[in-house]
């Protein structure tokens, strides 16, 4: 059985994630805020900026590879866009990288790795 590909970093297919959450948010200018009349004014500079929270359970080989991506300033990411239900490409960076040993195995452990991908 073939699995759907949710993420690809710099052309490398990543394993199937345990969890995958896409959040879209807007970037607002500093000029927005509350007016003298007490109403809110939003000056949206950019709409639909992608933030993806993802968790994997991986071997040490994948842990090392993902840690290497964390060190990069930016990553070319192909991701499953929940808005269009298709793959989309974006320049992103990795934030909030966490790794946790779940089980010691003969293959140097089973690791839970989680991080956020933020669109540049």
């Amino acid at each position: 059985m073939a699995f759907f590909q949710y993420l690809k970093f710099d052309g490398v297919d990543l394993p199937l994630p345990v969890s995958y959450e896409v959040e879209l948010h807007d970037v607002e200018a500093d000029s927005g805020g509350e007016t003298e009349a007490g109403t809110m004014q939003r000056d949206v500079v950019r709409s639909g900026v992608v933030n993806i929270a993802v968790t994997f359970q991986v071997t040490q080989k994948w842990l090392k590879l993902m840690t290497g991506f964390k060190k990069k300033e930016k990553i070319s990411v192909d991701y499953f866009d929940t808005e269009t239900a298709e793959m989309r490409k974006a320049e992103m960076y990795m934030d909030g990288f966490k790794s946790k040993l779940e089980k010691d195995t003969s293959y140097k452990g089973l690791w839970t790795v989680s991080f956020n991908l933020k669109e540049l």
Side-chain angles (χ1 to χ4, degrees):
M1 177 178 184
F3 291 103
F4 186 79
Q5 189 64 47
Y6 288 90
L7 285 171
K8 187 184 285 192
F9 288 0
D10 292 338
V12 177
D13 290 339
L14 268 60
L16 186 67
V18 173
S19 71
Y20 181 85
E21 181 180 353
V22 178
E23 177 185 348
L24 302 173
H25 65 274
D26 298 333
V27 177
E28 296 181 21
D30 292 338
S31 58
E34 192 170 345
T35 65
E36 283 184 11
T39 59
M40 289 299 292
Q41 177 179 337
R42 291 181 69 211
D43 291 332
V44 178
V45 176
R46 194 167 160 211
S47 182
V49 178
V50 177
N51 183 16
I52 302 172
V54 65
T55 302
F56 296 94
Q57 283 200 323
V58 295
T59 62
Q60 185 215 18
K61 174 188 166 194
W62 278 106
L63 172 67
K64 184 177 179 181
L65 189 66
M66 289 180 184
T67 303
F69 282 118
K70 167 65 182 126
K71 295 175 183 176
K72 291 187 170 193
E73 190 174 307
K74 65 181 179 177
I75 307 166
S76 174
V77 178
D78 292 302
Y79 68 94
F80 180 74
D81 183 4
T82 56
E83 207 173 25
T84 62
E86 295 178 354
M87 295 301 285
R88 186 174 157 212
K89 184 178 262 245
E91 293 290 319
M92 298 183 156
Y93 68 96
M94 199 183 287
D95 190 39
F97 186 91
K98 292 191 281 187
S99 59
K100 177 183 170 190
L101 179 64
E102 292 295 336
K103 185 177 182 182
D104 191 15
T105 67
S106 60
Y107 295 104
K108 299 183 182 173
L110 176 65
W111 296 85
T112 296
V113 175
S114 61
F115 49 84
N116 291 319
L117 294 167
K118 297 186 176 189
E119 188 174 14
L120 292 171

